[in-house]
């Protein structure tokens, strides 16, 4: 029964995300609305992590299986992709490197900011 309740909560948040996508005139995927709604509910304490943790962990564990249909679809469309394969691979590689670099710089900035904040709290003493 617990799994059914957790699935219901996650499905409800997903459906609200779909509803928001249809209502709001922004070019944002429904899943993003759902994720932000879930984050908001968790941060405000309206929804407790324990209420969705087990099913959420299960979904994370099987996430790679969910990409199989997309991969099969790409293999099925090989003839259509072949003329643009080199540019597609190049764009994927370049965008991956850019995302990795920006994520690394953002993480460095956040770590530096946290260390500076800790030093200020400790009166300049190193912890």
């Amino acid at each position: 029964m617990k799994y059914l309740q957790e699935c219901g909560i996650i499905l409800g948040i997903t459906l609200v995300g779909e509803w928001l996508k249809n209502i709001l005139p922004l070019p944002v995927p429904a899943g993003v609305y759902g994720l932000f709604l879930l984050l908001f509910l968790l941060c405000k304490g309206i929804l407790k992590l324990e209420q969705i943790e087990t099913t959420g962990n299960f979904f994370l564990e099987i996430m790679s299986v969910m990409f199989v249909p997309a991969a099969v679809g790409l293999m099925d469309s090989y003839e259509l992709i072949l003329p643009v394969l080199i540019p597609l691979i190049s764009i994927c590689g370049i965008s991956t490197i850019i995302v990795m670099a920006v994520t690394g710089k953002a993480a460095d900035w956040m770590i530096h900011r946290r260390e500076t904040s800790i030093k200020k709290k400790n009166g300049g003493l190193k912890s």
Side-chain angles (χ1 to χ4, degrees):
M1 188 66 179
K2 177 183 177 185
Y3 298 113
L4 194 58
Q5 183 180 12
E6 290 182 10
C7 271
I9 292 170
I10 293 171
L11 179 62
I13 291 170
T14 303
L15 289 175
V16 172
E18 289 286 340
W19 178 74
L20 287 172
K21 181 188 181 309
N22 291 329
I23 297 296
L24 299 175
L26 301 172
V28 178
V32 174
Y33 284 125
L35 286 174
F36 276 113
L37 178 61
L38 179 62
L39 178 64
F40 174 78
L41 294 173
L42 288 170
C43 287
K44 291 295 180 185
I46 298 168
L47 183 65
K48 303 288 184 222
L49 182 60
E50 297 81 33
Q51 292 176 287
I52 58 166
E53 187 172 21
T54 307
T55 302
N57 286 336
F58 171 73
F59 286 149
L60 284 174
E61 289 173 5
I62 65 164
M63 186 168 48
S64 59
V65 175
M66 301 301 169
F67 288 102
V68 171
V72 170
L74 284 174
M75 290 172 26
D76 195 34
S77 304
Y78 179 74
E79 293 83 21
L80 297 172
I81 297 173
L82 190 59
V84 293
L85 191 60
I86 300 297
L88 184 65
I89 291 172
S90 301
I91 290 169
C92 286
I94 291 168
S95 64
T96 299
I97 291 168
I98 291 171
V99 167
M100 289 170 56
V102 169
T103 303
K105 289 292 183 185
D108 282 344
W109 177 76
M110 289 171 33
I111 290 168
H112 176 71
R113 186 172 157 210
R114 188 179 78 192
E115 288 174 351
T116 304
S117 174
I118 290 171
K119 286 179 184 177
K120 285 181 183 177
K121 285 181 184 178
N122 292 337
L125 299 175
K126 199 169 189 177
S127 58

